[in-house]
Amino acid sequence: MDVFELSSKRFTTKHYDPSRKISPDDMGKLKEILRLTPSSVNSQPWHFIIGSSDKAKKLIRPAIMDFNWPRTDDCSHFVVLCIKEDLDESHLNAVTAQENADGRFPNEQIKEEGDSKRKWYVSMKRERGQLRSWATHQVYIAMASLLYGAASLGIQSTAIEGYNPSKLDAILSLREKGLRSVAIVTLGYGALDDSNASRKKSRLPAETLFTELD
Amino acid sequence: MDVFELSSKRFTTKHYDPSRKISPDDMGKLKEILRLTPSSVNSQPWHFIIGSSDKAKKLIRPAIMDFNWPRTDDCSHFVVLCIKEDLDESHLNAVTAQENADGRFPNEQIKEEGDSKRKWYVSMKRERGQLRSWATHQVYIAMASLLYGAASLGIQSTAIEGYNPSKLDAILSLREKGLRSVAIVTLGYGALDDSNASRKKSRLPAETLFTELD
């Protein structure tokens, strides 16, 4: 199914079938899709926390708004999408070292230039107080990759912003790891009575959404 | 090509072939992919400005960082992704009216509940001063839809944050329309000498990216 079809057919799942689990093979593909997500200056300012056991679901439950419990209780897996609180020297050096190991630099000079451009860009974002908002934007690209990636594997999903970030971050000790959560995605297979599965997708008409320049 | 393949093969295009144009049929699909993008509480807080003529490219050029001119000069089409500055009553009423016309509400009571929940959520975001950042997150989902959607149609793309937003917004009179630009995506077909086409994709290894909860 291509992205055009996916975007027509994908829907937000309200009720999961708790008995159906995503296979390790499919979870491996979803992790690879997350890993390969593009980001500004290849900054990869993210970390993903994955849970699927009853224990993990109970652990995060106190941070989830009660109206979202049907998703986090009954999904197969959940992914907490996090930004790195700071993109420090060691993270940026690791990105350059990886690019170097992957053969992206024809010579040392190009490597040095790439490395300093990225560091300049990141410090500019930091100085303007935009580092975390910028990192969050990149994580939303990863979220979309995950939603469409799941749909392409026949897996249903729900993007969840309705939770208490500081509570969740405390439960998962994210500050100690230099992380902040920005959203959760639940994944699994829809229950037969999922009310949203049969409802028509609704969007504003194209004529209100696009302006074509001469 | 499914999303797993797309995420492995897609790359950021550095050099476009200016002689190759995206067909109206493919542009229609890309617009439909943008239109169908999911957003929190179906808020659809966006508007997209599309240009392809030399005139349109010259118009935006003064707002683009010079290092990005090769993309905006030579692409087939560009899309300026905008948030709505405010999600006012009339926008939110239009969303509910559309959902109603699309038959998403079994009865009047469910319609009223859906409408007031969305309005409550939006006013909560506004009160916390998070309305624009929240809208921006949704637009990044649309950006990802566009990047992957283009790749699935064999169209190359570049996400561009390197431009002067206030300058671009002034050039396009966005404030008068209640809009703010948040990013640009260029679309087209890569030039034969596109340096990035043959370089291996580089990402940090999975073991640094994922934490699996017990």
Side-chain angles (χ1 to χ4, degrees):
Chain A
M1 212 175 350
D2 68 17
V3 174
F4 182 63
E5 267 189 274
L6 288 177
S7 65
S8 318
K9 291 186 182 156
R10 185 197 168 272
F11 60 90
T12 292
T13 294
K14 299 289 178 189
H15 296 281
Y16 291 91
D17 177 348
S19 71
R20 295 187 64 193
K21 300 291 175 194
I22 301 170
S23 71
D25 185 50
D26 278 349
M27 276 310 295
K29 284 187 182 169
L30 291 177
K31 285 164 70 177
E32 193 60 4
I33 286 171
L34 280 172
R35 193 179 77 88
L36 294 171
T37 297
S39 56
S40 179
V41 302
N42 203 21
S43 52
Q44 308 169 64
W46 45 50
H47 190 86
F48 307 102
I49 297 177
I50 301 176
S52 62
S53 66
D54 285 345
K55 187 181 160 198
K57 290 174 182 177
K58 272 187 197 129
L59 180 70
I60 66 164
R61 202 172 202 261
I64 310 296
M65 302 297 173
D66 55 3
F67 57 83
N68 275 320
W69 285 346
R71 267 72 69 192
T72 53
D73 286 350
D74 294 339
C75 65
S76 165
H77 288 66
F78 64 83
V79 181
V80 179
L81 298 96
C82 305
I83 57 165
K84 286 180 181 280
E85 283 204 285
D86 190 20
L87 297 182
D88 57 16
E89 193 83 0
S90 99
H91 174 76
L92 297 173
N93 286 341
V95 171
T96 299
Q98 186 67 47
E99 288 178 345
N100 193 43
D102 289 332
R104 284 188 64 87
F105 304 116
N107 62 51
E108 194 66 17
Q109 196 197 329
I110 291 178
K111 181 184 124 183
E112 295 300 331
E113 281 170 13
D115 188 62
S116 10
K117 270 186 206 162
R118 181 163 38 228
K119 285 175 179 163
W120 167 80
Y121 197 73
V122 167
S123 45
M124 187 260 290
K125 290 287 178 189
R126 189 184 291 110
E127 276 158 28
R128 293 182 184 175
Q130 296 171 341
L131 196 57
R132 287 179 194 158
S133 64
W134 175 65
T136 303
H137 300 162
Q138 315 308 316
V139 172
Y140 270 77
I141 303 176
M143 177 204 274
S145 305
L146 182 57
L147 299 179
Y148 283 102
S152 76
L153 296 169
I155 294 165
Q156 272 92 55
S157 59
T158 317
I160 295 179
E161 296 177 341
Y163 73 99
N164 184 325
S166 16
K167 208 172 212 176
L168 186 65
D169 293 7
I171 288 172
L172 298 174
S173 308
L174 295 187
R175 279 309 167 281
E176 293 87 319
K177 296 167 190 156
L179 302 173
R180 276 172 193 254
S181 70
V182 300
I184 302 169
V185 170
T186 54
L187 300 160
Y189 297 95
L192 288 179
D193 64 345
D194 182 16
S195 54
N196 212 28
S198 56
R199 290 158 93 197
K200 203 183 143 198
K201 194 189 285 290
S202 176
R203 296 288 188 268
L204 295 170
E207 52 269 30
T208 68
L209 288 189
F210 300 101
T211 301
E212 313 257 358
L213 298 172
D214 286 338
Chain B
M1 212 171 357
D2 68 18
V3 173
F4 182 63
E5 269 190 272
L6 288 176
S7 65
S8 318
K9 292 185 182 158
R10 184 196 168 272
F11 61 90
T12 293
T13 294
K14 299 288 180 191
H15 295 282
Y16 291 92
D17 178 347
S19 71
R20 294 187 65 193
K21 300 292 174 193
I22 300 170
S23 71
D25 185 48
D26 278 349
M27 278 309 296
K29 283 186 183 169
L30 292 177
K31 286 164 69 178
E32 193 61 4
I33 286 170
L34 281 172
R35 193 179 79 88
L36 293 172
T37 297
S39 56
S40 177
V41 300
N42 203 21
S43 53
Q44 308 169 65
W46 44 48
H47 192 86
F48 308 102
I49 296 177
I50 301 175
S52 62
S53 66
D54 286 346
K55 187 180 159 198
K57 291 173 181 177
K58 273 187 196 129
L59 180 71
I60 66 162
R61 201 172 203 260
I64 309 295
M65 303 298 175
D66 55 2
F67 57 82
N68 276 321
W69 285 346
R71 266 71 70 193
T72 53
D73 286 351
D74 293 340
C75 66
S76 166
H77 287 67
F78 64 84
V79 181
V80 180
L81 298 96
C82 306
I83 56 164
K84 286 180 181 277
E85 283 205 283
D86 189 21
L87 296 181
D88 56 17
E89 192 83 359
S90 96
H91 174 76
L92 297 173
N93 287 340
V95 171
T96 300
Q98 186 67 48
E99 289 178 344
N100 193 41
D102 289 333
R104 284 187 65 85
F105 305 116
N107 60 53
E108 194 66 17
Q109 197 198 330
I110 291 178
K111 182 183 122 183
E112 295 300 330
E113 280 170 14
D115 188 62
S116 25
K117 272 186 205 159
R118 181 161 41 227
K119 285 176 180 164
W120 167 80
Y121 196 74
V122 167
S123 48
M124 187 261 288
K125 290 286 177 190
R126 188 183 293 112
E127 275 158 29
R128 293 182 183 174
Q130 296 172 340
L131 195 57
R132 286 179 195 158
S133 65
W134 174 66
T136 302
H137 301 161
Q138 314 311 315
V139 172
Y140 270 77
I141 303 176
M143 177 203 273
S145 306
L146 182 57
L147 300 178
Y148 283 101
S152 76
L153 296 169
I155 295 166
Q156 273 92 55
S157 59
T158 317
I160 296 178
E161 295 178 340
Y163 73 99
N164 184 325
S166 18
K167 209 174 213 175
L168 186 64
D169 293 6
I171 288 172
L172 297 174
S173 308
L174 295 187
R175 279 308 168 281
E176 294 87 320
K177 295 168 190 156
L179 302 173
R180 277 173 193 254
S181 70
V182 299
I184 301 170
V185 170
T186 55
L187 300 160
Y189 297 95
L192 288 179
D193 64 346
D194 182 17
S195 54
N196 212 29
S198 57
R199 290 159 93 197
K200 201 183 145 197
K201 192 187 288 289
S202 176
R203 297 288 187 269
L204 295 170
E207 52 270 31
T208 68
L209 289 189
F210 300 101
T211 300
E212 312 256 358
L213 299 172
D214 287 338

